[in-house]
Amino acid sequence: MKLRYTVLLAVGLLAILAVPLAAEAQQAGKLPRIGILSGGAPGSWGPLPVLLDALRDVGLAEGRSAVFDIRYAEGRTERFSALAAELVNLRVDVLIATGTPGAIAAKQATSTIPIVMVAVSDPVGSRLVASLARPGGNITGLSLLAPELSAKRLDLLKQALPQASRVAVLWNVANDGMMLRFRATQTAAQVLGVTIESVGVRTPADFEDAFARVTKGRPDALLVLSDTVTLGQLNRIVQFAEANRIPAIYEQRGFVDAGGLMAYGIDLSDQYRRVAIYVDKILKGAKPADLPVEQPSKFEFVINSKTAKALSLTIPALLLMRADQVIE
C-alpha cells in the first residue's frame, strides 16, 4: 500500500512538472507569423508568387514553418491604412509592405513590429527612413530608385520617337511615390524639349475617363508610371494603347510581355526575392534599424518589335542593340 502511494505521488509530481515543460515546448514551437500588405488583388498580375517562393527558399513555408496573413488593397490606395491596422492587430512578427502607400500605412500603424518595405520609390524622401545606410526605427527593405530612372525612361522614348513633342503620363495621383516620379519626369521633359500632359487616376474606376482624356489630347506617346493601381489594369492599358496606336513606354516588362512597346526599369521579381533575406534576418534577431535599405542593381530594357511593326514604327538600330531583350 505504501509502495502504491509512493508511485502515485511520483506520477503526480511528474504530471505537475510536465505542464510548464509542455507549455514551453509549445511556445518554442510557435510558427512565426508574417503579414503581407499587398496593393494588388488575389490572382492578379504581380510578383507576390515570387515573394512566397523566396520565403519558402529561406525555410518559411506556409503552414509548415510559418503562418502568412495576406491582405489585398485591390488597387485602392485608401484601403492600406485599415488593412495595415488589421495586420498589426493580428500581432504578426514581421510585416511586409509593398509600395510607398503600403509602407507609409504600415509605419503609421506600428512603431514596434518590424516592417520590410519593397518597391518604394524614395524611402528618404517619403520620410520612411532616416537614411538608406541607417534606417532607424522599425522599417527597412528595398528602394526602387524610381525618380532617378524617370529621366532615362523619357530619354529612351525620345530616342525611339525623335519627333515626339507631347507625352501623356498616366499615373496614380494618390500615391506619394508616384508624385516624386512625376516631378522627375517633368524636369527631364524640360531638358528634352517635351511637353508633359498629366493623366491622373486613383482607383480602377477612373481608367475609362483617363483613356478618354488621353485620346482627346492626341499625344505623340504615352508614359505609364507603375504602382499597384496601374499594374492592376495592365492588360487594359496595353490594349488601349494598341487600339489607339499610341507608342508607350512602361516601367515594368510585364507590360511589354502583354504587348506593350517598351519598358525600362528594375527587375521587380529580383527585388521581391530579396525581401525574404530581410525577413529571415529579422526573425533571427536582426533589428530593422541596423539593416541598410538596399537599392536595385539590376535593370532591364525590353522592346517588343512586333508591336513596333504594328505601329509602323522603326526602332533605331542603336536602340535595339542597347536592349536587354527584343521580343520578336
Side-chain angles (χ1 to χ4, degrees):
M1 188 72 175
K2 187 175 181 181
L3 177 61
R4 183 183 177 188
Y5 176 79
T6 303
V7 172
L8 290 174
L9 180 61
V11 171
L13 288 172
L14 286 173
I16 293 171
L17 290 172
V19 172
L21 290 174
E24 288 178 10
Q26 185 178 7
Q27 185 67 25
K30 177 188 175 184
L31 298 181
R33 198 174 196 110
I34 300 171
I36 302 176
L37 184 57
S38 170
S44 64
W45 183 92
L48 186 58
V50 174
L51 170 60
L52 298 178
D53 286 342
L55 289 169
R56 191 179 302 113
D57 290 342
V58 298
L60 297 168
E62 169 66 31
R64 295 199 304 273
S65 52
V67 175
F68 295 151
D69 293 302
I70 306 176
R71 297 295 182 270
Y72 299 93
E74 298 182 338
R76 296 185 176 277
T77 307
E78 72 276 8
R79 296 188 62 193
F80 276 117
S81 294
L83 294 175
E86 188 176 327
L87 289 172
V88 169
N89 289 335
L90 289 173
R91 298 182 180 179
V92 296
D93 297 296
V94 180
L95 201 168
I96 300 170
T98 64
T100 302
I104 291 174
K107 185 176 182 181
Q108 290 174 344
T110 178
S111 60
T112 55
I113 295 175
I115 300 170
V116 178
M117 61 184 169
V118 59
V120 172
S121 295
D122 184 354
V124 178
S126 298
R127 299 182 180 179
L128 288 165
V129 297
S131 71
L132 299 181
R134 297 181 178 276
N138 64 318
I139 185 167
T140 186
L142 299 105
S143 166
L144 281 177
L145 198 69
E148 290 84 345
L149 298 181
S150 297
K152 181 69 174 180
R153 206 168 282 119
L154 197 59
D155 180 58
L156 291 171
L157 184 60
K158 185 69 173 176
Q159 289 184 51
L161 301 160
Q163 303 305 317
S165 61
R166 299 179 65 254
V167 177
V169 180
L170 180 64
W171 63 297
N172 177 13
V173 295
N175 184 333
D176 291 341
M178 294 300 103
M179 176 61 75
L180 296 173
R181 293 190 219 178
F182 179 73
R183 287 174 179 168
T185 302
Q186 285 181 311
T187 301
Q190 293 175 358
V191 176
L192 294 170
V194 174
T195 300
I196 293 295
E197 178 185 352
S198 172
V199 181
V201 293
R202 293 178 181 271
T203 72
D206 297 333
F207 278 84
E208 285 303 322
D209 179 63
F211 291 154
R213 289 171 57 194
V214 173
T215 303
K216 183 178 180 180
R218 302 180 65 84
D220 299 311
L222 175 67
L223 167 60
V224 179
L225 305 186
S226 296
D227 75 336
T228 52
V229 173
T230 51
L231 284 171
Q233 304 301 311
L234 182 151
N235 288 317
R236 287 178 67 190
I237 294 171
V238 170
Q239 290 166 8
F240 164 76
E242 179 183 10
N244 290 274
R245 298 182 59 80
I246 303 175
I249 188 167
Y250 307 91
E251 295 187 342
Q252 301 298 331
R253 71 162 296 152
F255 287 91
V256 180
D257 291 334
L261 178 61
M262 298 190 301
Y264 178 74
I266 72 165
D267 185 338
L268 196 60
S269 293
D270 178 70
Q271 182 159 104
Y272 271 76
R273 278 191 291 268
R274 298 193 64 80
V275 169
I277 298 174
Y278 278 87
V279 173
D280 185 47
K281 288 181 178 179
I282 289 171
L283 290 176
K284 289 177 178 176
K287 295 180 180 180
D290 300 328
L291 297 175
V293 174
E294 185 175 306
Q295 293 185 294
S297 58
K298 291 185 178 182
F299 306 90
E300 53 184 356
F301 177 35
V302 186
I303 299 174
N304 192 321
S305 64
K306 182 178 178 180
T307 301
K309 291 176 184 177
L311 292 169
S312 301
L313 180 64
T314 301
I315 303 293
L318 185 59
L319 203 59
L320 290 170
M321 291 175 61
R322 292 175 59 187
D324 296 290
Q325 183 179 359
V326 177
I327 299 175
E328 302 292 342

